[in-house]
Structures are given as C-alpha cells and as structure tokens.
Amino acid sequence: MNRTPRTLWATLTTAALAIAAFATLGTQAPDTATASSNGDPTASAARSADPASRNQQQWPTLRTGAQGSAVTALQQLLTTHGHSLTADGAFGGLTEAAVQAFQTNQGLQADGIVGPATWNALTTTLRTGAQGSAVTALQQLLTTHGHSLTADGSFGGLTEAAVQAFQTEQGLQADGVAGPATWKALVTTPAGARPSTGNTGTGQNATPSTSGYTLKFTKNQNHPMYSTLALVHNRKAVKTYRANSGMGSKDTCLSNEGWLPNGTYKVKGHETNRGGWNYNPNVQIQGYAIQLENKACTPAPGQKPVERTDMFIHSEMLADGTQAVDVPLKEDDFWRWDADFDYKSNGCIKLKPADLKDLFTRLDRAGWPKNLTLQVS
C-alpha cells in the first residue's frame, strides 16, 4: 500500500522531464539542431574534442553585412573547404553563396547564416606541420590577439608558440594544437582581451600588471628553441620575438643549461655596452643586455632546489653592439650570431641581435618603466 504513491510520483516526474526535454529540443535553432549531420570526418573529430571548453562561449552569428576579423577567418576557412573567396573581411553576396554551398555539402540548413553548427563544421584541428588557408586564418586571428605572426599559411614553431601563449591566456590546455576550443576563443574573445586569473602577489602566482609594460617569455614545450619573448603593453603584446632559454633542457634546476623557472622576475637593469670594451674575453655576455633577478627553481622529487643566478636577456655581440669578425672555418664565433644554434644559452633568454636592439628601442621610447617585470610561463 505504501508503494503506490511513490510509484505514481516517479511516473509523473519521468513524464514531466520527458516533456521538458522535448520542449527544449523543439526550440533549438535549425543551424544547431542539424549539427550532427556533418559528414566531414576531420570536422566531426574536431567538434567532439573539448566539449566543456566549447560551451563556455557562444559562436558569433554572421550574416550578410557583417565585417571584421571573424568574417576574414570565415572566408579563409571556406576557401580551405573548396569555396574560394577573397578574404576581405566583408560578408557580401559571394560569401553568402559560399556559406550556402558549404552548408548544403555538410547537410546543414542552407540559409547562408553562419551559426554554431556551421562554425563547428568549418573549423579543423591544426598542429605543427599543417599548411594552407586555415593556418593563415589562425595566424591572422592570433595576430589580432597580440601574438604577431607572418600569415604565411605554414604552421611552424613560432605559430605553435603563439597558440600555446594564447591558450594559456584563455585558461585552455596549452598544447599548441588549435582545436575547437581554441578556434572558438580566437573568434569570440575581443582582440587584446586577457582573462583574470584571480591571483595576486609575486612569484609563480603573480598576476601581470593591468597597465603599462611588461615582458612575457612563453616556453615552447615541444620545441624550446622556438619559444617566444613578447613586449606587452596594457596586456596586449605589441611585439613578439623568437627566443630561447638554456641549452635545450627543460630542467629549471640545471644551472647554465636548463630554461628559466616559471614566475615573475624583476628587471634589475639594462645596458648597451656590457663588457666595457670591444673584445673582452673575461665577460661572457657583452653589448646589449637586460639583467634579471635571481630565482629559485622548483625541484623534482628527490632533487635539491637551486638558486639560478647571473641571468640576462641578451644576444651574441661585442660590447659596442657590433658583430665580431667571422673567423674562417670556425662554425660558431662566440660574439657573432652565426646561425639558429646561437639561440642556445647558459640558462638566460637569448634573442637575435636585431631583435634585441629592436626591444631596446621600444623600451627606450617607453622610458624603461621602473617596475618592469618579466613573466615566465
């Protein structure tokens, strides 16, 4: 006798839930509701990844008359799928026709309006080695977010480093692979926006200043010598340089070989004539140099912590900023930039001479802020 009310209640509850679910499905936009009909295996795989991250933001709805970087990305992605367009950032009749053709091919409602299902079908997961107009779209979107790249359509080390830096800023997994969550963040996040981490203080939990200048070194976990150093103004990167820290080891406790420990560094000083005279064999770092404060590493289990000292942002040059004479038959002249292997350093951050001088020029114009810091991540 006591079970009858409970059974009736369970039946009514189940019925109510079913009615609610049916009502919810009935109110979905056509572009969203037909998303599962896409037959492109690459796009289908891309849409299945990172579902939680993808739902945090809404794709922009684009239609005739829209303009901007999202439209440019749309046009380049359509070109990737065989619908060739001029990527001019203006959603006109040709773009609408290309969208309709793509939607028809993908089994979507061919209304010429780009909603979530169309975006999900268009975006393709990109990683190192990829080439084409989709990579160009990715590079241009990254540039609008302050990670300056040459939009050459080739996904190399610098593009991977920029993707990782952007993913870190957006709280995504910084794997350097541009999947659905990364594409959505690139298209939906306002240019230059940086999310707040909620951290304060100094060291590894420090939050970069909300205004002014700072330096940001982003490690490339897969290709350390394709890491980047960015000059950031008001949280937007105004210039990004290829850089490296260390001799290739990721062990931050390995003095003179490992890359820099993560955290915030005070800039202690800078000089353009370190070494005092043109050819001083007693000074390892000469010419243009930015000195950083010491930093303790975070040891692995069983490993002792080490304080990293004598750290600089520098290059290979003579004390007056010029290049040493090229010694015949010598592969690596110590105070001369010879090739990409010169990015290796004894734990410091190293740039090409021209890039380091460009950084100095920009900081000269900014008056070398007294509280200038370096963020390493």
Side-chain angles (χ1 to χ4, degrees):
M1 293 293 294
N2 293 333
R3 293 181 182 178
T4 302
R6 293 178 182 175
T7 303
L8 178 60
W9 176 254
T11 302
L12 291 172
T13 303
T14 302
L17 290 173
I19 292 170
F22 180 80
T24 300
L25 287 173
T27 58
Q28 285 182 326
D31 193 44
T32 304
T34 56
S36 61
S37 62
N38 176 18
D40 182 352
T42 303
S44 178
R47 290 197 306 277
S48 66
D50 299 322
S53 297
R54 286 174 49 223
N55 291 332
Q56 291 175 357
Q57 297 169 299
Q58 296 297 320
W59 285 107
T61 299
L62 301 180
R63 50 171 54 86
T64 301
Q67 293 186 353
S69 58
V71 177
T72 301
L74 166 68
Q75 292 165 327
Q76 288 166 330
L77 290 170
L78 285 166
T79 298
T80 298
H81 288 276
H83 305 279
S84 184
L85 289 167
T86 300
D88 57 5
F91 197 129
L94 291 178
T95 300
E96 182 182 34
V99 170
Q100 288 175 323
F102 174 77
Q103 289 170 328
T104 299
N105 291 341
Q106 300 298 315
L108 303 174
Q109 180 176 336
D111 55 7
I113 299 173
V114 182
T118 302
W119 277 117
N120 287 331
L122 280 166
T123 53
T124 302
T125 298
L126 300 175
R127 52 174 49 86
T128 302
Q131 294 189 356
S133 53
V135 179
T136 301
L138 173 68
Q139 292 167 327
Q140 291 183 338
L141 285 170
L142 286 165
T143 296
T144 67
H145 285 280
H147 304 280
S148 182
L149 291 167
T150 300
D152 57 5
S154 180
F155 197 128
L158 289 177
T159 301
E160 182 184 39
V163 170
Q164 287 179 321
F166 176 77
Q167 289 169 328
T168 298
E169 292 161 0
Q170 299 301 318
L172 303 173
Q173 180 180 348
D175 56 7
V177 178
T182 301
W183 276 108
K184 180 179 282 188
L186 281 166
V187 172
T188 59
T189 304
R194 301 289 187 269
S196 173
T197 63
N199 294 326
T200 58
T202 58
Q204 294 186 22
N205 294 323
T207 300
S209 171
T210 58
S211 62
Y213 286 88
T214 189
L215 297 169
K216 182 176 177 62
F217 180 71
T218 303
K219 299 173 179 178
N220 186 324
Q221 296 289 338
N222 295 327
H223 306 287
M225 290 214 302
Y226 282 91
S227 300
T228 60
L229 179 70
L231 175 62
V232 179
H233 183 231
N234 293 336
R235 290 193 170 187
K236 181 176 181 180
V238 295
K239 185 68 175 181
T240 303
Y241 310 95
R242 178 182 170 183
N244 181 45
S245 171
M247 303 296 287
S249 173
K250 300 176 184 178
D251 184 353
T252 61
C253 291
L254 192 60
S255 292
N256 298 323
E257 290 191 34
W259 58 16
L260 294 185
N262 288 356
T264 303
Y265 295 72
K266 293 180 181 178
V267 172
K268 297 174 63 176
H270 66 281
E271 50 191 316
T272 57
N273 59 344
R274 180 175 168 79
W277 55 290
N278 257 7
Y279 203 79
N280 188 344
N282 298 318
V283 179
Q284 188 175 27
I285 295 173
Q286 297 192 149
Y288 287 65
I290 300 173
Q291 187 174 8
L292 306 173
E293 68 173 327
N294 299 343
K295 183 72 66 176
C297 71
T298 301
Q303 185 182 23
K304 292 183 178 180
V306 173
E307 185 176 39
R308 301 292 299 276
T309 63
D310 298 320
M311 294 187 294
F312 296 83
I313 300 173
H314 69 109
S315 188
E316 291 194 5
M317 60 180 67
L318 296 173
D320 64 355
T322 62
Q323 293 284 283
V325 176
D326 187 10
V327 178
L329 304 181
K330 187 176 181 181
E331 183 180 22
D332 186 12
D333 297 308
F334 196 75
W335 285 291
R336 179 184 178 85
W337 192 274
D338 296 294
D340 278 359
F341 53 70
D342 282 331
Y343 277 107
K344 292 184 177 181
S345 70
N346 293 332
C348 300
I349 294 177
K350 210 168 183 185
L351 305 176
K352 292 179 68 172
D355 288 344
L356 183 60
K357 290 181 177 181
D358 181 78
L359 176 60
F360 265 71
T361 297
R362 293 172 184 272
L363 285 171
D364 284 341
R365 292 172 184 164
W368 283 91
K370 294 181 179 179
N371 296 324
L372 184 64
T373 59
L374 167 72
Q375 308 287 333
V376 178
S377 62

